Every structure is written in C-alpha cells, then in structure tokens.
Amino acid sequence: MLAARVTLPIGIRLSAGIFASAAFLGILKFSSLYPLPSWHAFFIMLGAVSALPLWAIAAFDPMARVVGEIHFALIFIGIMAVLGIIIVVFAHWPLYADVLALLSSCIVIAGGMYSRQWYKLSGGCVLFCAFLLFATKISVSFLKSGDILHLGMGLGLWLSSRSNID
Amino acid sequence: MIMNPYIYIIPFLLVLISLEMLVANQRGLKVYRFQDTLVSINVGVVSQFVNTIGGVISVTMYSILVARYGAFTWNESNPLTWILGLLLYDFCYYWVHRAGHEINISWAAHVVHHSSEEFNLSTALRQSATGFYFKWIFYIPLALLGFSVKMFIVLGLIDLIYQYWVHTQLIGRLGFLEKFLVTPSNHRVHHGQNDYCLDKNYGGILSIWDQFFGTYADERENEKPVYGVRKPLRSWNAVWGNLHHYGVIFKQVKEMPQWRDKLMVVFAPPRWRPDSDSTAEELFDHKKFERFNTYSSKLMRSIGVITTLLGAVLLANFLMIQSHLELSSRLGYSAVMLFGYVVVGWVWFIPLKVRV
C-alpha cells in the first residue's frame, strides 16, 4: 500500500516496495503456493541493507534528496545493495545485515525524537526490539525469533510511516 | 586451451573498418581522421587488457549470485530461452547505458567512448576500460532468474557485437526499423552533442526501451549530429582518455565546500551545477564547434601505425595465452602495456593545435 501511494516520497515507496516483495515472497514460501526461497532470502537481504537505511533516512530527514528524488533514491538503493551483496554474499558476513537493520532503527528513533513525533519514535523502538531479538535468536513464549521479526517489522514500519501518511 | 572469442572477432572488425574507409573514399566522404582512428583502436586495446581482469570480476560476481539466488533452470537448447534472455539482457543494458550517461561517476567510465569527434566503425572499438566496476549490478535480475554464466557471457557478446555496425555515417535511415531497432541513424543521435541529442537513444539492440521510457530522438536532416563531448578530451592519450573525467570529478569535489555538493558532483548527472542546482546546460552552438586536431609529421604517423600494430599483436598474444597465466602475470603484462600506451600517447601526439 505504501509502495503504491504516489503522494509519498519516492524513497519511502521504493523501500516499501522492497519490503512488500520480501513479504509476498515469504507468503509464497511459507504457504507452499510457489516457494521461491532464494528470492525471499535475496529480498530480505536487500531490505535489510538498502531499504531499511533509506527508510531510516526518510524518518530522520524527509527532505533529503535520496528520499525525494528518484535519481538519488535509486543510486542509494543500488550502492547499498552492492555493498550488502559484497559483504554478506561474497565476504560471508551476514551479521552486516543485522547491524545495518539495528542502526537503521536507531536512526528512526533519533528521527522521532528530533521531530517529536511519537509514532516515529515508537515505530523505531518496535523495530529495534524486533531486530535485536531476531539477531540474538531469542524466542518469546510461543513466538519464535522469525515470528517476532515479521510482527515487529509490520508494526514498526506502519508506526514509523504514520507521520508521512497523516 | 580456452580461446578468448575476441581473437576471432577483432580481425573481422578491422577488415570492416578498412571496408568502410574504402566505401567512404569512393563516395567522397571524409569520415576518418588518422589520429582519431588510431586512438580509437588504442583505447580498444587498452580496454581489452584491463577487462581481462575486470571481466573476470563481473563474471565471478554474476556466477556467485546465480548459484545462490537463481530461481529457475533454463533449457539452453531451446531458442526461445535465448530470445527471452537477449530481450532481458538488452533491457538491463539500456539501464547500464542510461546510468553511464546520467550519473557523473559512471559517465567518467563511459565518456571515453564518446570522446571521439568522428563517427565511424573505429569509434565502436573505443570502449571503456573502467566500466566493469558497476555494470554487473544491472544484470542482477538475470542472475535471479537463473540464466547461466555461459548465457550471460554469450548474450553480452551478442549485444556488444550488434552495436558495432551502428557506428557508421554511411548508412542512412532505415524506415520503420528505427522505431524498434538501434540503427546507425538513431545511434548517431546518441553520439551527438547537439541539444536534441543529449541523453538520448540508450538502447543496445532494441530502441523500444527508449520509446517506452521517453529517451528516444530521431536524427534531424536539418541539424546533423556534431560528435564528441561538451568537455572535450583534447588529448590523443588512450590511457588518459579513460581517466580524465575522474580527474575532473576529483577536482570539482575538492572545490565544493559542502559535503552535500561533493556528493552531488559524484552522483548527480554530469551537467549538474551547484549555483543553479539544476542540470541546465550552457547554450551550445553546434556550428561553432571546433574539432581537436594536432600536427603530426610522416615520421610520427609511421611511429603511430607501428606502435598501434605492435599493441594489437601483443594483445592477440595476450588473449591467446591469458588462460595459462597466473593473475599476477596477467596484471604485470597489462601494466607494462598500459605504461607503453601512456608513453606513446604523451610523446607522439603532443598537442600543437592546428585548425582543421
């Protein structure tokens, strides 16, 4: 939905598009409808290393060029994606994606505090907790770390985008 | 021994250049200039030396991606697989090419191809030596779809070889073909620096991508393209031709006081200026453009021909033996050749400007 709203800045729409792709592929995978596990893994990585940082920049500085202009948004996504591919895939350091995700959520928190928007702040906190629990493989009750991640991301992204929609 | 396909292709390309010279001569058209042609060939040779390593990087990256993320397996004995693959490859190529024109740091890699102020088959050989670091990124969709490394390489060769014949002034408009194929006419527009030519016609084989994304322009009979770039190279050095725009970017980055402007210099379109904060180009009068030319004596020309031929022979030797060489030997061989070209380009084409 966020990806389709033309009133939103292109940076948010691109990030949302990547998250949506990962989510859709996840549905295909876990429902066994048409599993494409390699693509799900790719878009998860892409989401963590490029879409989340762009989302975080949008939360901190909505007027930034990488958020508002497609030329720079695509360059940002491209460069971050390449860095992510090189570090995660070629250098075999998957922790990079976790680190970037955590850092991005911290930037969202900082953006919420700076602009005094509690939606953004709470969204950032939810994201931070979700990523931390996922990275440390901690389960809570019947919820596994992957469940926490998916729920946390859904809630966190929705909350942190509220100030853009409203 | 795995033979590099360029060993078979290059002689054929040189024969076509000779043929174009003959036909142009018969028609009374001057489409070749000595220095420009030799530099085009030398730049091509330089790119081959560098790309034996750059190409390995691209192919390695692609192979890792396709092994890890490739979702489908394709029947390579089915011609439809190749047609689909070529379509997708060309689509990705459109974006590679567009990035090469619209992002300044990528333009630094691509500008050498446009630096020729003539337009003929030798211009097609004037390939970049530094583009390998970013081009492979655009072919990630092909890797995700599972197209094999072999297909990636072959499709790349087909896409590249097709573009050879469109670098000519001897073939006019081709009617309805202009609307969906890249042709000499619409590619002449791409190489022009007239206002209507800039950032147009990026396609490799198909011009339908330009039609679809609004980057298509027809050649104008009343305003023929003026070839070259608006910041002319003003050098015959094949190695400097590959590096000079990186130097321009470096200088501009140093001059910018703010970090935002420094980043803009690198990633904005080449025409971006901080004062106007837009990509407005200065007014260009194509009638007043003066091509770069320098005096060269018969001796210098002979030296030029001999060194170019020697370079080509050494390249052929390199291409034949490279699969047996260690990486360090390949780097060493390439480094020596590049140094040789730097010296040749500096020594025998010292610019003593003479009006054309």
Side-chain angles (χ1 to χ4, degrees):
Chain A
M1 274 173 55
L2 288 173
R5 277 179 82 132
V6 293
T7 49
L8 289 172
I10 186 67
I12 292 183
R13 283 157 52 202
L14 275 174
S15 298
I18 292 171
F19 296 140
S21 302
F24 180 68
L25 289 163
I27 292 170
L28 291 180
K29 177 185 170 186
F30 292 109
S31 65
S32 302
L33 266 171
Y34 193 76
L36 292 167
S38 58
W39 283 16
H40 181 56
F42 180 79
F43 277 91
I44 287 172
M45 188 225 4
L46 201 63
V49 303
S50 63
L52 267 172
L54 185 55
W55 188 274
I57 293 175
F60 191 81
D61 184 5
M63 304 309 292
R65 283 197 136 150
V66 291
V67 176
E69 294 179 41
I70 188 166
H71 177 97
F72 298 108
L74 285 173
I75 290 171
F76 181 85
I77 294 266
I79 290 175
M80 294 302 285
V82 165
L83 271 171
I85 288 171
I86 290 171
I87 295 172
V88 174
V89 180
F90 301 143
H92 302 292
W93 198 57
L95 205 58
Y96 173 76
D98 296 325
V99 168
L100 221 53
L102 283 166
L103 211 59
S104 301
S105 55
C106 291
I107 295 173
V108 174
I109 293 170
M113 287 169 67
Y114 183 73
S115 58
R116 296 172 197 269
Q117 289 173 336
W118 81 266
Y119 280 133
K120 217 180 269 186
L121 180 62
S122 51
C125 292
V126 169
L127 285 171
F128 184 85
C129 294
F131 293 138
L132 189 63
L133 289 170
F134 181 74
T136 49
K137 301 285 180 254
I138 292 174
S139 302
V140 174
S141 181
F142 58 89
L143 291 173
K144 297 197 178 119
S145 56
D147 302 325
I148 296 170
L149 175 73
H150 290 116
L151 290 168
M153 275 197 72
L155 183 62
L157 291 173
W158 175 70
L159 280 170
S160 58
S161 68
R162 283 290 303 271
S163 54
N164 293 104
I165 298 168
D166 294 337
Chain B
M1 182 167 70
I2 302 164
M3 290 293 249
N4 191 306
Y6 282 105
I7 295 171
Y8 306 108
I9 295 167
I10 290 171
F12 177 65
L13 303 182
L14 294 173
V15 163
L16 286 177
I17 288 174
S18 310
L19 198 63
E20 188 186 28
M21 282 181 187
L22 269 168
V23 172
N25 210 26
Q26 278 193 330
R27 291 191 197 176
L29 294 169
K30 194 175 182 324
V31 298
Y32 277 88
R33 265 193 306 151
F34 175 77
Q35 296 102 320
D36 183 89
T37 305
L38 281 199
V39 170
S40 291
I41 294 171
N42 289 343
V43 167
V45 171
V46 164
S47 77
Q48 283 300 305
F49 276 111
V50 176
N51 284 329
T52 51
I53 293 146
V56 167
I57 293 171
S58 296
V59 169
T60 304
M61 301 243 182
Y62 184 89
S63 65
I64 294 173
L65 284 170
V66 79
R68 183 151 168 166
Y69 297 117
F72 307 107
T73 310
W74 299 88
N75 178 6
E76 291 177 13
S77 58
N78 187 342
L80 286 174
T81 300
W82 289 90
I83 292 169
L84 176 67
L86 192 59
L87 206 66
L88 290 169
Y89 187 98
D90 198 58
F91 177 73
C92 294
Y93 175 83
Y94 168 85
W95 290 103
V96 172
H97 202 178
R98 190 164 172 174
H101 280 258
E102 296 185 8
I103 303 172
N104 206 9
I105 192 71
S106 309
W107 174 241
H110 186 55
V111 67
V112 66
H113 179 64
H114 285 261
S115 59
S116 173
E117 291 166 1
E118 305 296 332
F119 190 72
N120 49 59
L121 290 177
S122 73
T123 311
L125 298 181
R126 199 182 270 234
Q127 293 290 320
S128 166
T130 60
F132 64 87
Y133 69 87
F134 79 92
K135 287 182 179 177
W136 63 272
I137 301 160
F138 292 83
Y139 299 105
I140 289 175
L142 283 175
L144 290 180
L145 285 167
F147 286 100
S148 67
V149 174
K150 177 179 124 188
M151 279 195 74
F152 175 61
I153 294 171
V154 173
L155 292 171
L157 262 176
I158 294 171
D159 205 88
L160 185 67
I161 299 296
Y162 174 89
Q163 292 175 65
Y164 184 71
W165 78 284
V166 300
H167 288 82
T168 182
Q169 297 183 65
L170 302 187
I171 298 173
R173 284 178 60 83
L174 296 174
F176 71 95
L177 289 178
E178 302 288 334
K179 294 300 174 200
F180 65 93
L181 278 180
V182 172
T183 64
S185 174
N186 57 46
H187 203 63
R188 285 194 287 272
V189 170
H190 176 70
H191 274 259
Q193 50 176 316
N194 315 49
D195 287 336
Y196 81 91
C197 299
L198 289 183
D199 298 340
K200 293 285 187 282
N201 300 351
Y202 296 120
I205 296 176
L206 297 170
S207 64
I208 57 175
W209 318 119
D210 291 292
Q211 306 275 359
F212 188 74
F213 293 110
T215 54
Y216 183 81
D218 265 321
E219 190 179 20
R220 295 181 189 175
E221 289 303 316
N222 58 348
E223 189 185 337
K224 288 292 184 187
V226 172
Y227 306 110
V229 292
R230 291 199 178 177
K231 290 193 184 81
L233 178 57
R234 295 263 179 259
S235 166
W236 300 123
N237 192 310
V239 176
W240 180 237
N242 276 286
L243 299 177
H244 92 280
H245 197 74
Y246 290 104
V248 167
I249 291 175
F250 182 72
K251 192 167 163 249
Q252 286 177 339
V253 165
K254 270 179 71 177
E255 284 167 5
M256 293 297 156
Q258 306 226 355
W259 270 105
R260 278 178 198 248
D261 288 340
K262 289 180 194 286
L263 287 172
M264 286 293 285
V265 165
V266 176
F267 295 113
R271 293 179 277 167
W272 178 82
R273 296 289 174 272
D275 42 6
S276 62
D277 201 18
S278 70
T279 54
E281 184 68 52
E282 297 96 12
L283 289 171
F284 175 75
D285 187 347
H286 63 280
K287 292 180 194 134
K288 290 187 181 162
F289 180 75
E290 271 189 39
R291 284 180 299 176
F292 178 61
N293 199 26
T294 57
Y295 172 75
S296 56
S297 63
K298 263 192 190 165
L299 174 66
M300 286 165 73
R301 286 176 175 235
S302 306
I303 293 170
V305 170
I306 290 166
T307 52
T308 299
L309 282 173
L310 188 63
V313 165
L314 287 169
L315 173 66
N317 175 59
F318 180 66
L319 292 177
M320 277 195 281
I321 65 171
Q322 61 159 344
S323 54
H324 293 293
L325 294 177
E326 297 288 332
L327 180 64
S328 53
S329 302
R330 285 196 211 187
L331 284 169
Y333 198 130
S334 300
V336 168
M337 291 304 301
L338 289 178
F339 179 73
Y341 274 109
V342 167
V343 170
V344 165
W346 177 69
V347 164
W348 62 273
F349 281 140
I350 295 167
L352 298 166
K353 284 193 192 173
V354 172
R355 285 175 72 90
V356 175

